[in-house]
Amino acid sequence: METSELLKKVRQIEIKTRGLSRNIFAGQYHTAFKGRGMAFSEVREYQFGDDVRDIDWNVTARYVRPYVKVFEEERELTVMLMIDVSGSKDFGSVARMKKDIVTEIAATLAYSAIQNNDKIGVIFFSDKIEKFIPPQKGKRHILYVIRELIDFQPDNRKTDISQALRYLTNAIKKRSTAFLISDFIDKHNYTDALTIANRKHDVVAIQLYDRRETELPKVGLIKVRDAETGVERWVDSSSRRVRETYRNWWIQRQEEMNNSFSKCRVDSVSIRTEDDYVKSLITLFDKRN
């Protein structure tokens, strides 16, 4: 993408997603993704009902009457965007490709994080770690992230979610909120890696899929191509058995994915490319409150 075109696209995404995060997600994000714990704020005199374990004995001895420590929620978070950049992101049959929706969702989450004084980082992955952007704050950093979301070109086209989750577990030392954004079309089993990652971090799964991935249209003989392997084959979509087999494959895959999320205690949402992702994200945020 040429520089002028890229800058124009960055500006368009910035205006739209900054507005969404400011006007729609301001409250939901804050309450849905809490800080890492409680931080010391001040001391005050002991009041009836206070927990005696909070007594500050040094201050109490100095003033010869009991004082307690006051704590407040530690709000600053590290937010990681884990972006699937494998070949299947280029699929879209209605109006927009999956990668376009991923860019907007990721940018909206990034702006929501920055407005809450959180750091934001990115892991681009295929079947390897394509690029790591360390967590930082600030508008310049956000614009850099958006530019990479729009224009990043991966080396590989296959998917390995487990490897991305292991990288998150090893590379990010402090507890973070990690948004795993993918279509979850992965031939590997990622349940164990997801369990381990979610013990250390707060992992949230966002699935993007297209209507045509859920069922075959009845249009006769068609050539289909695997976006990740490049393998092509002819399929007779006029056959009810073929269409039912494909539909059953999709249903089984979704059940396996949702069972993995449930087993790993990972909050999740599935978003179709033609649907309003804003409503889906609000539903996800409300579910966590």
Side-chain angles (χ1 to χ4, degrees):
M1 188 179 295
E2 293 184 2
T3 302
S4 60
E5 184 182 353
L6 175 59
L7 292 175
K8 182 180 178 181
K9 185 70 172 176
V10 169
R11 182 60 176 161
Q12 290 172 342
I13 295 292
E14 178 197 7
I15 292 171
K16 180 174 182 178
T17 57
R18 183 176 58 187
L20 284 174
S21 62
R22 180 178 298 163
N23 300 324
I24 298 176
F25 297 130
Q28 283 93 339
Y29 175 91
H30 179 89
T31 54
F33 303 100
K34 306 239 187 295
R36 289 191 299 272
M38 306 301 289
F40 172 72
S41 175
E42 60 182 351
V43 294
R44 61 164 171 78
E45 279 198 67
Y46 177 86
Q47 298 174 0
F48 178 76
D50 285 339
D51 191 332
V52 295
R53 291 173 295 183
D54 292 335
I55 292 177
D56 187 318
W57 294 106
N58 291 329
V59 178
T60 295
R62 189 181 311 155
Y63 291 100
V64 202
R65 54 182 183 273
Y67 277 77
V68 294
K69 297 177 181 178
V70 178
F71 297 85
E72 62 182 18
E73 184 185 0
E74 189 178 9
R75 263 303 309 158
E76 181 180 300
L77 286 171
T78 295
V79 176
M80 293 301 303
L81 302 176
M82 302 180 66
I83 309 296
D84 181 351
V85 292
S86 61
S88 57
K89 76 182 185 304
D90 295 326
F91 187 80
S93 66
V94 182
R96 309 171 70 190
M97 290 190 291
K98 284 187 284 188
K99 68 178 182 180
D100 297 326
I101 311 298
V102 167
T103 296
E104 290 192 13
I105 290 174
T108 300
L109 293 171
Y111 269 110
S112 297
I114 290 294
Q115 287 173 14
N116 281 273
N117 201 37
D118 298 336
K119 294 180 180 179
I120 189 80
V122 186
I123 298 172
F124 292 103
F125 71 93
S126 55
D127 60 349
K128 70 172 188 176
I129 303 305
E130 296 279 353
K131 184 167 186 174
F132 172 57
I133 302 177
Q136 292 184 36
K137 297 181 183 180
K139 182 177 178 180
R140 179 179 295 181
H141 180 65
I142 281 285
L143 292 177
Y144 171 61
V145 166
I146 293 175
R147 189 181 70 206
E148 290 299 299
L149 287 168
I150 293 171
D151 204 41
F152 182 77
Q153 298 298 321
D155 293 330
N156 295 0
R157 298 185 65 82
K158 295 182 180 180
T159 307
D160 190 341
I161 294 173
S162 291
Q163 187 167 353
L165 289 166
R166 287 193 293 268
Y167 186 86
L168 171 75
T169 302
N170 295 327
I172 307 301
K173 301 305 180 184
K174 293 184 179 180
R175 180 173 174 82
S176 70
T177 295
F179 292 97
L180 176 55
I181 307 176
S182 173
D183 54 20
F184 292 90
I185 298 176
D186 189 348
K187 296 177 182 178
H188 308 88
N189 188 308
Y190 50 81
T191 303
D192 289 344
L194 184 57
T195 300
I196 294 170
N198 199 46
R199 284 175 185 162
K200 182 176 181 180
H201 303 285
D202 178 13
V203 180
V204 181
I206 300 178
Q207 182 200 26
L208 262 293
Y209 70 95
D210 189 87
R211 184 203 306 172
R212 283 290 169 254
E213 291 174 318
T214 69
E215 58 186 4
L216 287 175
K218 187 179 178 181
V219 293
L221 199 62
I222 56 174
K223 181 187 285 188
V224 294
R225 180 176 182 272
D226 188 317
E228 298 194 1
T229 65
V231 174
E232 296 181 341
R233 59 181 297 188
W234 288 95
V235 174
D236 183 7
S237 64
S238 63
S239 167
R240 176 187 291 182
R241 184 179 60 82
V242 169
R243 295 197 307 275
E244 287 180 351
T245 299
Y246 185 88
R247 178 64 178 169
N248 291 336
W249 167 81
W250 170 262
I251 292 172
Q252 181 181 350
R253 200 183 71 84
Q254 288 296 100
E255 287 178 351
E256 291 173 352
M257 179 191 73
N258 288 323
N259 286 339
S260 291
F261 295 157
S262 179
K263 181 180 178 181
C264 302
R265 298 183 178 181
V266 167
D267 290 327
S268 65
V269 65
S270 293
I271 304 173
R272 197 165 60 172
T273 53
E274 62 196 277
D275 291 343
D276 183 356
Y277 66 82
V278 173
K279 292 181 180 178
S280 298
L281 290 179
I282 290 176
T283 299
L284 173 65
F285 290 1
D286 287 344
K287 187 165 60 176
R288 293 175 58 91
N289 291 334

